């Protein structure tokens, strides 16, 4: 994609910077500089690994997690003890450090080879309960803060 001011033949730094920011180029450069070159959309992960989880775990995601794709990925990685320093969760994608996607696939593929152990399924379900408690606690703290201000 060409980035330049098409209204003149001169290079306008301000206009070009505005274009780069609107295209999210600085954020993309930060992600790549941070060593997270591999990215996958949430839906691809859900489609790949939803079938290995028991129905009650998926039901927990749909009811407690309200079908949030981002929460599904976080819960899946938490349940399988995938270290949080190997990935970063964005708004619509998961970013992996170089070479870490293969490790994640190995961990998740080991579960898909056989039945998912009940312990992992329980951690997946518990993730959503913990998320609700954390949200509720944060809301209660905000209410208490504002009540003190009154």
């Amino acid at each position: 994609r060409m980035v330049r001011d098409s209204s003149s033949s001169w290079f306008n730094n301000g206009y070009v910077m505005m274009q780069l920011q609107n295209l999210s180029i600085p954020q993309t450069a930060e992600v790549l500089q941070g060593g997270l070159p591999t990215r996958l959309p949430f839906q691809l992960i859900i489609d790949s690994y939803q079938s290995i989880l028991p129905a009650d775990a998926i039901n927990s995601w749909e009811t407690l997690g309200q079908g949030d794709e981002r929460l599904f990925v976080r819960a899946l990685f938490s349940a399988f003890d995938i270290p949080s320093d190997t990935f970063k969760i964005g708004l619509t994608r998961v970013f992996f450090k170089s070479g870490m996607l293969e490790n994640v696939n190995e961990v998740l593929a080991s579960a898909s080879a056989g039945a998912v152990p009940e312990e992992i399924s329980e951690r997946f379900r518990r993730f959503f309960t913990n998320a609700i408690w954390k949200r509720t606690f944060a809301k209660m703290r905000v209410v208490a803060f504002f009540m003190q201000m009154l």
Side-chain angles (χ1 to χ4, degrees):
R1 188 173 271 190
M2 190 168 146
V3 179
R4 71 176 186 94
D5 182 0
S6 60
S7 63
S8 76
S9 60
W10 293 99
F11 191 79
N12 183 337
N13 285 340
Y15 184 79
V16 171
M17 282 302 295
M18 185 178 67
Q19 280 186 321
L20 291 173
Q21 288 173 344
N22 288 335
L23 293 171
S24 300
I25 300 298
Q27 290 87 351
T28 304
E30 283 179 31
V31 167
L32 293 174
Q33 184 180 16
L36 301 164
T38 308
R39 53 189 177 263
L40 294 175
F42 293 148
Q43 194 59 49
L44 181 65
I45 293 173
I46 292 170
D47 292 344
S48 299
Y49 299 107
Q50 186 175 10
S51 61
I52 68 170
L53 294 168
D56 60 333
I58 299 301
N59 188 38
S60 294
W61 169 56
E62 291 170 345
T63 56
L64 299 175
Q66 300 171 348
D68 185 350
E69 295 174 339
R70 189 176 195 194
L71 279 179
F72 180 93
V73 173
R74 288 179 55 207
L76 183 70
F77 290 178
S78 174
F80 282 94
D81 289 327
I82 295 173
S84 60
D85 63 341
T86 62
F87 66 91
K88 184 171 182 172
I89 296 186
L91 296 177
T92 60
R93 299 175 186 272
V94 181
F95 299 87
F96 295 96
K97 286 188 174 181
S98 295
M100 296 313 293
L101 181 59
E102 291 81 22
N103 294 347
V104 170
N105 276 335
E106 285 175 18
V107 169
L108 295 175
S110 68
S112 62
V116 174
E118 181 59 32
E119 176 187 347
I120 290 177
S121 180
E122 179 60 31
R123 284 193 302 227
F124 184 83
R125 287 190 298 271
R126 197 175 327 122
F127 179 88
F128 298 108
T129 306
N130 290 344
I132 289 172
W133 276 108
K134 286 177 185 177
R135 243 182 278 136
T136 303
F137 182 71
K139 288 176 184 178
M140 295 299 292
R141 289 191 58 169
V142 168
V143 167
F145 176 76
F146 282 113
M147 292 300 284
Q148 285 179 346
M149 294 188 68
L150 295 177

